[in-house]
């Protein structure tokens, strides 16, 4: 066997290894897709639960929380497969994204506890969920950005944009649920709602550019005109400055939630179609590569197998300069460049966002502990202890977290002093 043939066999084996890794990545993307979907439901239900002071969606939120926990367990198990690979094929960037998300997942229980006890505002809770989902989407983006097969890259780019558009639709659901449940929208939430509508449409347009004809057909057939019309009417109502109340006396929050959920669930069916197609494409590519390897082994005397001949046989009508220009000007390259520029700021700030989320949760823990001490030593109710802590922090020009830490430090110091005196 010649050196050229040996190198070719090695290259084909590398292709097969890479394709197996991409198949694993496709499974991970599918699990992330499912987890994000149920997490989006939990976020929307939590928003209504908080905005209504626990009067609405209590049971539904518990159900969605259980669904999220089950999907999270499945996703974590799949993510662990990357760290257990004998020869990791994942890039360092992808592994770092997964590690950052793993840390954020560990803080979910604290966020849910804060929602249970109404120690977080609807907006803050929504933002915490947003940061986690942003990290999960960054994993999908990283997978698309580092895939080596162009067909699989196109499929991953389509999935990423559909998932991102769906996430923005989920944020719109949470924003609208908050405003309608509260009874009115302030200027900030009206502006946010309009921004979410515009941005998600841009994502869906990019998805349409990369999606297969089958996925596009499913997309066009899935969206109910009646549902879209109902959402459009409620969007118009949200832009008004008056309070919104139905004839039955209930806010429009639940109506909005149901309509937007129908739309998001429909988008998820298209997302599932894309994931199924991606998995099938990966296995098809693996079969092709294995067939090429077997064919190369069966004809060892052949100096250059067909793939190399096709690569080197540049026709006069397609010189290298034209090939380079064509590659740089192709829709795939242009869209990937636009995608990279559009997402660079968000991805660069992802670690900071996740750290801010963890910091906020740690600060809430400090405040809860300090409130407990104040309630115990000052015979105050929880609300009175909170007001006392807030007033004291304002009087001393400190944040509530810093004030809480000072109280905890002082309590520990006094406790040590008492223990010494008892000795």
């Amino acid at each position: 066997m010649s050196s050229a043939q040996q190198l070719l066999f090695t290259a084909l084996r590398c292709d097969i290894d890479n394709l197996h890794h991409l198949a694993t990545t496709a499974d991970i993307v599918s699990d992330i897709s499912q987890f994000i979907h149920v997490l989006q439901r939990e976020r929307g239900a939590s928003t209504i639960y908080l905005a209504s002071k626990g009067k609405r969606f209590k049971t539904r939120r518990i159900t969605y929380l259980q669904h999220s926990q089950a999907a999270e367990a499945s996703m974590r198990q799949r993510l662990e497969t990357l760290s257990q690979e004998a020869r990791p094929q994942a890039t360092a960037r992808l592994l770092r994204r997964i590690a950052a998300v793993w840390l954020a997942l560990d803080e979910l229980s604290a966020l849910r506890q804060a929602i249970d006890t109404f120690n977080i505002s609807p907006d803050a809770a929504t933002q915490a969920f947003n940061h986690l989902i942003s990290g999960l989407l960054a994993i999908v983006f990283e997978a698309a950005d580092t895939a080596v097969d162009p067909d699989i890259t196109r499929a991953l780019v389509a999935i990423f944009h559909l998932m991102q558009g769906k996430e923005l639709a989920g944020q719109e659901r949470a924003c609208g649920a908050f405003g309608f449940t509260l009874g009115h929208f302030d200027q900030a939430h009206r502006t946010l709602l309009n921004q979410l509508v515009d941005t998600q449409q841009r994502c869906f347009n990019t998805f349409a550019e990369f999606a297969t004809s089958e996925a596009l057909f499913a997309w066009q057939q899935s969206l109910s005109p009646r549902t879209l019309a109902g959402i459009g009417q409620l969007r118009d109502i949200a832009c008004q400055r008056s309070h919104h109340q139905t004839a039955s006396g209930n806010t429009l929050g639940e109506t909005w939630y149901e309509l937007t959920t129908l739309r998001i669930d429909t988008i998820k069916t298209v997302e599932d179609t894309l994931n199924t197609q991606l998995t099938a494409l990966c296995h098809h590519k693996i079969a092709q590569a294995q067939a090429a390897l077997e064919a190369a082994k069966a004809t060892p005397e052949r100096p250059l197998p067909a793939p190399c001949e096709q690569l080197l046989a540049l026709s006069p009508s397609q010189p290298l300069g034209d090939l380079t220009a064509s590659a740089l000007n192709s829709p795939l390259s242009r869209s990937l460049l636009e995608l990279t520029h559009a997402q660079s700021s968000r991805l660069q700030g992802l670690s900071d966002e996740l750290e801010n989320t963890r910091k906020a949760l740690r600060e809430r823990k400090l405040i809860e502990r300090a409130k407990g001490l104040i309630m115990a030593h000052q015979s105050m109710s929880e609300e009175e202890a909170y007001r006392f802590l807030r007033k004291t922090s304002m009087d001393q020009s400190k944040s509530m977290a810093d004030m809480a830490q000072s109280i905890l430090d002082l309590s520990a110091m006094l406790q040590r002093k008492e223990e010494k005196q008892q000795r």
Side-chain angles (χ1 to χ4, degrees), residues 161 164-165 168-169 192-206 343:
H161 279 90
Q164 190 174 49
L168 294 168
L192 175 60
L193 203 65
N194 287 326
Q195 289 174 345
L196 290 170
V197 172
D198 293 340
T199 309
Q200 65 186 272
Q201 188 56 52
R202 288 199 294 271
C203 289
F204 292 143
N205 290 341
T206 306
Q343 297 298 325

Coordinates of all heavy atoms in Angstrom, one line a residue, residues 161 164-165 168-169 192-206 343:
H161 N -31.6 28.9 14.0 CA -32.4 30.1 13.8 C -33.9 29.8 14.1 O -34.6 30.7 14.6 CB -32.3 30.6 12.3 CG -31.1 31.4 12.1 ND1 -29.9 30.8 11.7 CD2 -30.8 32.7 12.3 CE1 -29.0 31.8 11.6 NE2 -29.5 32.9 12.0
Q164 N -34.0 29.8 17.9 CA -33.8 31.2 18.4 C -35.1 32.0 18.2 O -35.5 32.8 19.1 CB -32.6 31.9 17.7 CG -32.3 33.2 18.4 CD -31.0 33.8 17.9 OE1 -30.9 33.9 16.6 NE2 -30.1 34.2 18.7
G165 N -35.7 31.9 17.0 CA -37.0 32.5 16.8 C -38.1 32.1 17.7 O -38.9 32.9 18.2
L168 N -37.5 33.6 21.1 CA -38.0 35.0 21.2 C -39.5 35.0 21.2 O -40.1 35.9 21.9 CB -37.5 35.8 19.9 CG -36.0 36.0 19.9 CD1 -35.6 36.5 18.5 CD2 -35.5 37.0 21.0
A169 N -40.2 34.1 20.6 CA -41.6 34.0 20.7 C -42.0 33.6 22.1 O -43.0 34.0 22.6 CB -42.2 32.9 19.7
L192 N -40.5 46.4 24.4 CA -39.9 45.1 24.4 C -40.7 44.1 23.5 O -40.2 43.3 22.7 CB -39.8 44.5 25.8 CG -39.3 43.1 25.9 CD1 -37.9 42.9 25.4 CD2 -39.3 42.6 27.4
L193 N -42.1 44.2 23.7 CA -42.9 43.3 22.9 C -42.7 43.6 21.4 O -42.6 42.6 20.6 CB -44.4 43.6 23.3 CG -45.4 42.5 23.0 CD1 -45.1 41.3 23.9 CD2 -46.8 43.0 23.3
N194 N -42.6 44.8 21.0 CA -42.4 45.1 19.6 C -41.1 44.6 19.1 O -40.9 44.1 17.9 CB -42.6 46.6 19.3 CG -44.0 47.1 19.4 OD1 -44.9 46.4 19.0 ND2 -44.2 48.3 19.9
Q195 N -40.1 44.8 19.9 CA -38.7 44.3 19.5 C -38.7 42.8 19.4 O -38.1 42.3 18.4 CB -37.7 44.8 20.6 CG -37.4 46.2 20.6 CD -36.5 46.6 21.8 OE1 -36.3 45.9 22.7 NE2 -35.9 47.8 21.7
L196 N -39.4 42.1 20.2 CA -39.4 40.7 20.1 C -40.1 40.2 18.9 O -39.7 39.2 18.3 CB -40.1 40.1 21.4 CG -39.3 40.2 22.7 CD1 -40.2 39.8 23.9 CD2 -38.0 39.4 22.7
V197 N -41.2 40.9 18.5 CA -41.9 40.5 17.3 C -41.0 40.7 16.1 O -40.9 39.8 15.2 CB -43.2 41.3 17.1 CG1 -43.8 41.1 15.8 CG2 -44.2 41.0 18.3
D198 N -40.3 41.8 16.0 CA -39.4 42.1 14.8 C -38.2 41.1 14.8 O -37.9 40.6 13.7 CB -38.9 43.5 14.9 CG -40.0 44.6 14.7 OD1 -41.1 44.2 14.2 OD2 -39.8 45.7 15.1
T199 N -37.6 40.9 15.9 CA -36.4 40.1 15.9 C -36.7 38.6 15.6 O -35.9 37.9 14.9 CB -35.7 40.2 17.3 OG1 -35.5 41.5 17.7 CG2 -34.3 39.5 17.3
Q200 N -37.8 38.1 16.1 CA -38.1 36.7 15.8 C -38.4 36.5 14.4 O -38.1 35.4 13.8 CB -39.2 36.2 16.7 CG -40.6 36.8 16.5 CD -41.6 36.4 17.5 OE1 -42.3 35.4 17.2 NE2 -41.8 37.1 18.5
Q201 N -39.0 37.5 13.7 CA -39.3 37.4 12.3 C -38.0 37.3 11.5 O -37.9 36.5 10.5 CB -40.1 38.5 11.8 CG -40.6 38.4 10.4 CD -41.4 37.1 10.2 OE1 -42.4 36.8 10.9 NE2 -41.1 36.3 9.2
R202 N -37.0 38.0 11.9 CA -35.7 38.0 11.2 C -35.1 36.6 11.3 O -34.5 36.0 10.4 CB -34.7 39.0 11.7 CG -35.1 40.4 11.3 CD -33.9 41.4 11.4 NE -33.5 41.5 12.8 CZ -34.0 42.5 13.6 NH1 -35.0 43.3 13.2 NH2 -33.6 42.6 14.9
C203 N -35.2 36.0 12.5 CA -34.7 34.6 12.7 C -35.4 33.6 11.8 O -34.8 32.7 11.2 CB -34.9 34.2 14.2 SG -33.8 35.1 15.3
F204 N -36.8 33.8 11.7 CA -37.5 32.8 10.9 C -37.2 33.0 9.4 O -37.2 32.0 8.7 CB -39.0 33.1 11.1 CG -39.5 32.7 12.5 CD1 -40.5 33.4 13.2 CD2 -39.0 31.6 13.1 CE1 -40.9 33.1 14.4 CE2 -39.4 31.2 14.4 CZ -40.4 31.9 15.1
N205 N -36.9 34.2 9.0 CA -36.5 34.5 7.6 C -35.2 33.7 7.3 O -35.0 33.1 6.2 CB -36.3 35.9 7.3 CG -37.7 36.7 7.3 OD1 -38.7 36.1 7.2 ND2 -37.6 38.0 7.5
T206 N -34.2 33.8 8.2 CA -32.9 33.1 8.0 C -33.1 31.6 8.0 O -32.5 30.8 7.2 CB -31.9 33.5 9.1 OG1 -31.8 34.9 9.1 CG2 -30.6 32.9 8.8
Q343 N -24.3 37.4 16.4 CA -24.2 36.7 17.6 C -23.0 36.9 18.4 O -22.9 36.5 19.6 CB -24.4 35.1 17.3 CG -25.7 34.8 16.7 CD -26.9 35.1 17.6 OE1 -26.8 35.0 18.8 NE2 -28.0 35.5 17.0

